[in-house]
Amino acid sequence: SKILYKEDVAVIRFSDQTSKVCVNKQSLQLHELADVLGDIWLYRSSKSVVLISGKPGCFLAGADSNMLQSCTTSEEVTSLCEEAQKLFRRIEQSRVPIVAAIHGSCLSRGLELATACHYRIATKSKETVLGTPEVMLGLLPGAGGTQRLPKMVGLLGAFDMLLSGKNITADEAKKMGLVDQLVDPLGPGLKSPEERTMEYLEEVAVGVANDLANKKIPLTREKKLWDAVMGLGPVRKMMYSTITKRVQKQTKNLYPAPFQIIECVKTGIEQGSDAGYLAEAQSFGKLVMTSESKALIGLHNGCLLCKKNRFGPPEKEVKKLAILGAGLMGAGIAQVSVDKGFTTILKDTTEDAISKGYEKVYKSFDTKVKKKAMISFERDAIMSNLSIQTDYSGFESADMVIEAVFEDLNVKHKVLKEVEAVTPPHCIFATNTSALPIRDIAAASKRPEKVIGIHYFSPVDKMQLVEIITTDKTSKDTLAAAVSVALKQGKIVVTDGPGFYTMRCMGSLFMESLRLLQEGVTATKSDFLATSFGFNVGPFAVTDEVGVDIGLHISEMLCKAFGSRYEGGSLEIVKTMVEKGLKGCKSGKGFFLYGKTKSVNPEVEEILKNHQVTAPSAISSEYDMQYRLLSRCINESLMCLQEGIIASPLEGDIGAVFGYGFPPMHGGPFRFVDTFGADRLVSLMKRFEDVYGNQFTPCQLLLDHAKDPSKKFYESSPSLLQY
Ligand code: NAD
């Protein structure tokens, strides 16, 4: 930290930040801060203090998750927390008023420091966000966050922040009482807007610090309505119980952190600060050691890695995109493309289809305008990147064509040939097929090295993952270009060799659920087996959402590719459902009926009468049924790594969690095997194999890990290097 005296005010700048987003050198910074403040307190060298970042972009970074993971015991972590708590409590009790001047992100430890100060000023910049995201890493704020926030923003406001981990804008923070004053960011002048804003913020903060020291601004906070509410014991009790019930419902008791957060807040309020701080430091220590937190931190770090292009920049930057098909997927892809500044053509065969597509894209931005998240000028500027048409004009300057037409190989071949006739030689042809092998599509191409699969998930703007699928002919440069486009569209990218990783794994789970259905286990029960393990939705609900016809098509392709090993349930059931028009949510009924409440569809029960099988009595416990579903999908993941379809356990885990909703608290199939034990999984699968056959044959990689318990997928920190 650098210190600078402006008359009676000491301005402390956190300067130990080497990049725009702060690099975490947490303990070092805190020691420094303690030393600097210690001198001020001892020598009374200033009447007030301003804390500000030396660089725009971030007030102070949160605790370093790698540093936490290097601790081997809870006690070690607890004592780190206590150190930070002690410093922040000294700041809070400081006789010299301390002002936090915030521009950029003020999260985790940064927010805890800011809330320990006597006054907070934040810029109204879009980049300024405040929050306590620890819960998303399976942790809690361990430097007083659970103790100070309830006093500052009330019990409900604090629970909302602590349990959701959401980012709060400067405006919202001001309304909540989290920030005392806002300043407008400045535009460009002789210096950059960022530098000018920081200087201005500092100037305002110094003024406020002086006023606090001279008592022109009172140090006491005005009483809020919630102070009175907080004073009522029975009301508080009711709040704890309501919130606990809500968290139980949302987390299905699978995540420990939210419950610990409630406990720490409660302890602080009901038993006093000392008990509260102690509970907080101890809970933090315990949480860092949980498998849930390790899994969530692993995913967080993994996402950061998957947001980098490990194939390097492409030879030619992709600037102009053309999208074929303005349906559900095409319009979604157009939306995420224009939003990120790609010049984009959206083409379909009819005027009607393209105007519907255009409307969808427009509406997505217009909704943001209505919600005041965007101004109409921005919406119009973004929309000006989009042109809609029914012919191929403009394709002569396209760098990449993304195809999202009907899922039919003949149609795909037809458009591929048409596109190659009108586009320049460097232009890449990317297909968004759900299940057709990319090499089959590329078979019609004159330049197969330029053909690649970019698999978006629906809804495109919400789903973070994109799978990039190469064939043995796809060039490295095409791969680098496809990854760069998906990253620019804001996606997390995993790359697959021939085959579809996520579809394979999800499909195997579906095939086994079908088998359960034939054995008399209801769709509701099967879905419960998946959701009680932590999936958000079960396999049948997902299929209804995606479309039963699409599910059938994908399953048929997969069964064709993998034969009896992949089978399980009978696809005849699904075929009959499609023939009868039971196509899922889009047709109002599928495996379930969607009336006022969701219920099992009796028509499916009727179809099932022709497909019943007797359940082997040896495997009928709920646990067995659950692990029939899970073991197949986990084994399929490992097999994909073994076959080189995916490159690393990390990409496999990210793909599974963000692609088909593998429960995040387990970290993904690979981390799950590490935690659960490969040997345990193998012995379960062998038992199932004896009864059902080769669907349950453990793959070699799983067997290898079972044989040698010291073998782990995550031995050291996660890496994207080839496995
Ligand atoms: P959709 O039916 O909503 O849209 C397809 C569009 O393509 C239609 O508007 C149609 O008019 C247009 N089209 C057909 N032939 C064309 C041609 N020759 N030139 C230009 N446009 C043409 O389908 P969708 O759900 O958007 O799926 C598109 C592709 O994406 C399919 O291959 C599908 O398998 C794949 N996909 C779908 C999902 C999903 O969840 N729906 C997810 C991933 C991938």
Side-chain angles (χ1 to χ4, degrees):
S1 316
K2 267 193 198 151
I3 188 160
L4 192 114
Y5 287 94
K6 293 201 169 171
E7 291 174 21
D8 289 338
V9 185
V11 177
I12 300 176
R13 294 201 188 118
F14 307 118
S15 55
D16 203 358
Q17 295 157 6
T18 45
S19 64
K20 194 166 176 227
V21 175
C22 311
V23 174
N24 302 301
K25 288 194 178 169
Q26 187 59 31
S27 55
L28 197 135
Q29 273 189 30
L30 285 188
H31 281 132
E32 277 186 351
L33 182 61
D35 287 348
V36 173
L37 285 173
D39 282 351
I40 292 174
W41 287 322
L42 187 66
Y43 302 113
R44 297 171 190 261
S45 48
S46 71
K47 288 189 180 152
S48 58
V49 174
V50 167
L51 297 183
I52 190 166
S53 170
K55 290 229 169 105
C58 172
F59 174 64
L60 177 82
D64 181 357
S65 61
N66 289 331
M67 185 186 82
L68 291 177
Q69 298 224 307
S70 69
C71 294
T72 49
T73 64
S74 303
E75 289 72 27
E76 231 176 295
V77 182
T78 299
S79 73
L80 280 178
C81 281
E82 284 173 329
E83 211 177 298
Q85 283 180 345
K86 211 166 97 192
L87 173 63
F88 290 2
R89 287 180 88 177
R90 284 190 69 196
I91 290 176
E92 189 176 32
Q93 286 152 10
S94 162
R95 290 211 199 180
V96 180
I98 303 178
V99 176
I102 305 160
H103 176 59
S105 64
C106 178
L107 305 169
S108 309
R109 198 65 35 119
L111 184 79
E112 291 182 284
L113 172 59
T115 51
C117 295
H118 302 95
Y119 201 91
R120 283 149 296 281
I121 306 173
T123 62
K124 267 194 202 172
S125 155
K126 263 192 182 163
E127 282 167 33
T128 300
V129 285
L130 300 92
T132 48
E134 288 86 347
V135 70
M136 297 198 264
L137 298 180
L139 302 172
L140 49 75
T146 65
Q147 305 303 302
R148 271 184 206 99
L149 280 176
K151 293 186 188 134
M152 193 166 260
V153 299
L155 203 47
L156 282 183
F159 276 136
D160 186 32
M161 282 180 71
L162 294 164
L163 296 172
S164 73
K166 69 182 177 191
N167 279 349
I168 291 169
T169 62
D171 277 325
E172 287 167 330
K174 174 76 172 61
K175 272 187 216 138
M176 293 167 67
L178 194 59
V179 158
D180 301 288
Q181 189 177 330
L182 296 178
V183 301
D184 282 310
L186 297 186
L190 284 177
K191 293 179 182 166
S192 75
E194 289 284 10
E195 277 174 291
R196 278 174 29 99
T197 301
M198 289 303 283
E199 281 177 12
Y200 177 51
L201 172 67
E202 188 174 303
E203 200 182 299
V204 175
V206 167
V208 167
N210 262 322
D211 288 350
L212 283 168
N214 300 331
K215 313 232 169 354
K216 280 193 200 150
I217 298 177
L219 268 175
T220 46
R221 191 171 63 85
E222 58 182 282
K223 289 260 178 228
K224 298 260 168 64
L225 181 63
W226 59 67
D227 291 315
V229 177
M230 291 256 293
L232 303 170
V235 176
R236 289 198 306 268
K237 224 171 149 185
M238 205 175 66
M239 279 190 195
Y240 301 137
S241 126
T242 315
I243 302 261
T244 307
K245 277 193 201 124
R246 195 188 308 157
V247 168
Q248 275 166 342
K249 202 168 154 214
Q250 282 168 349
T251 64
K252 304 185 200 87
N253 287 331
L254 292 168
Y255 292 89
F259 296 99
Q260 296 285 327
I261 289 174
I262 299 174
E263 267 317 299
C264 290
V265 169
K266 193 171 154 188
T267 307
I269 293 174
E270 306 303 327
Q271 296 172 33
S273 289
D274 287 344
Y277 279 106
L278 184 64
E280 185 187 79
Q282 288 178 341
S283 301
F284 190 91
K286 275 189 223 139
L287 286 172
V288 169
M289 297 298 147
T290 58
S291 62
E292 289 85 355
S293 156
K294 290 195 161 89
L296 295 172
I297 291 175
L299 286 171
H300 174 77
N301 293 338
C303 282
L304 296 179
L305 289 173
C306 290
K307 286 188 170 177
K308 291 191 183 128
N309 191 346
R310 65 187 164 106
F311 305 98
E315 278 164 27
K316 190 173 185 320
E317 191 192 347
V318 176
K319 290 188 175 150
K320 185 168 176 182
L321 289 179
I323 297 162
L324 293 182
L328 180 71
M329 298 305 286
I333 300 166
Q335 179 190 331
V336 298
S337 305
V338 290
D339 190 23
K340 296 293 169 0
F342 284 106
T343 307
T344 309
I345 297 174
L346 185 59
K347 178 194 178 299
D348 207 303
T349 46
T350 64
E351 290 289 342
D352 188 43
I354 44 169
S355 48
K356 273 195 191 130
Y358 184 88
E359 271 308 303
K360 249 184 82 188
V361 181
Y362 180 83
K363 217 172 140 196
S364 68
F365 296 112
D366 196 46
T367 311
K368 285 194 181 165
V369 175
K370 291 202 173 108
K371 285 188 182 157
K372 296 207 161 53
M374 181 181 270
I375 55 173
S376 54
F377 173 76
E378 283 173 285
R379 173 200 62 204
D380 298 342
I382 290 173
M383 286 307 288
S384 72
N385 291 329
L386 184 67
S387 58
I388 49 169
Q389 58 198 51
T390 53
D391 60 16
Y392 281 109
S393 60
F395 276 59
E396 66 282 354
S397 55
D399 301 309
M400 182 185 281
V401 173
I402 303 177
E403 162 289 296
V405 300
F406 297 136
E407 183 77 345
D408 176 320
L409 190 59
N410 293 325
V411 182
K412 305 269 190 208
H413 278 169
K414 181 172 167 279
V415 296
L416 170 62
K417 284 183 192 147
E418 286 171 8
V419 163
E420 287 187 350
V422 291
T423 50
H426 78 272
C427 182
I428 291 166
F429 184 87
T431 167
N432 177 46
T433 175
S434 302
L436 297 169
I438 311 297
R439 86 179 88 81
D440 291 359
I441 296 176
S445 168
K446 281 190 297 192
R447 18 184 220 251
E449 72 284 1
K450 296 282 178 198
V451 180
I452 195 162
I454 306 189
H455 187 211
Y456 294 88
F457 294 76
S458 170
V460 182
D461 60 326
K462 301 256 154 49
M463 294 291 286
Q464 295 184 67
L465 190 77
V466 157
E467 250 178 312
I468 298 203
I469 305 131
T470 54
T471 72
D472 46 6
K473 297 220 172 81
T474 310
S475 73
K476 273 266 165 337
D477 186 55
T478 301
L479 174 59
V483 173
S484 76
V485 168
L487 288 176
K488 192 168 162 193
Q489 286 166 336
K491 300 297 178 191
I492 303 168
V493 179
V494 296
T495 48
D496 292 9
F500 286 77
Y501 169 66
T502 54
M503 287 293 155
R504 261 177 81 166
C505 304
M506 189 162 76
S508 67
L509 203 143
F510 176 68
M511 292 307 289
E512 199 53 31
S513 322
L514 267 184
R515 173 74 186 201
L516 282 174
L517 210 56
Q518 289 175 269
E519 290 177 10
V521 179
T522 63
T524 313
K525 177 81 187 191
S526 270
D527 276 4
F528 171 77
L529 292 174
T531 54
S532 60
F533 180 71
F535 279 93
N536 256 341
V537 264
F540 292 120
V542 168
T543 311
D544 274 357
E545 267 170 41
V546 172
V548 178
D549 49 342
I550 295 180
L552 173 65
H553 163 74
I554 297 172
S555 309
E556 281 176 336
M557 298 293 298
L558 290 164
C559 287
K560 203 168 108 194
F562 303 115
S564 69
R565 178 185 77 68
Y566 203 81
E567 285 160 16
S570 165
L571 280 181
E572 288 303 315
I573 303 164
V574 194
K575 239 185 239 167
T576 318
M577 283 177 68
V578 174
E579 278 160 20
K580 288 186 184 272
L582 312 179
K583 291 189 183 169
C585 301
K586 60 185 169 194
S587 63
K589 48 190 176 176
F591 287 96
F592 297 102
L593 290 180
Y594 295 89
K596 267 193 189 140
T597 53
K598 197 171 101 183
S599 59
V600 168
N601 185 354
E603 282 180 81
V604 179
E605 309 265 280
E606 204 49 45
I607 299 171
L608 279 171
K609 283 189 181 150
N610 297 327
H611 300 277
Q612 275 165 351
V613 289
T614 327
S617 57
I619 297 178
S620 56
S621 73
E622 203 164 278
Y623 182 82
D624 279 349
M625 290 194 273
Q626 187 173 50
Y627 275 87
R628 272 168 60 188
L629 300 178
L630 296 173
S631 62
R632 280 195 61 179
C633 121
I634 292 166
N635 189 45
E636 201 65 35
S637 293
L638 267 62
M639 205 179 292
C640 285
L641 181 62
Q642 182 183 305
E643 291 173 4
I645 303 295
I646 49 171
S648 62
L650 178 68
E651 278 188 290
D653 280 347
I654 297 281
V657 171
F658 294 94
Y660 67 95
F662 194 94
M665 83 293 284
H666 297 301
F670 293 91
R671 192 177 287 275
F672 179 77
V673 171
D674 277 356
T675 320
F676 184 80
D679 48 343
R680 259 175 91 194
L681 195 61
V682 164
S683 63
L684 273 173
M685 290 189 77
K686 289 225 158 122
R687 204 153 57 76
F688 302 156
E689 185 187 18
D690 285 344
V691 178
Y692 289 100
N694 64 351
Q695 306 92 297
F696 290 102
T697 310
C699 68
Q700 192 55 47
L701 185 57
L702 183 57
L703 290 172
D704 292 347
H705 277 242
K707 220 184 291 160
D708 178 3
S710 68
K711 251 192 167 154
K712 298 275 181 204
F713 290 111
Y714 291 97
E715 271 168 84
S716 50
S717 54
S719 129
L720 268 185
L721 297 176
Q722 298 275 330
Y723 181 65

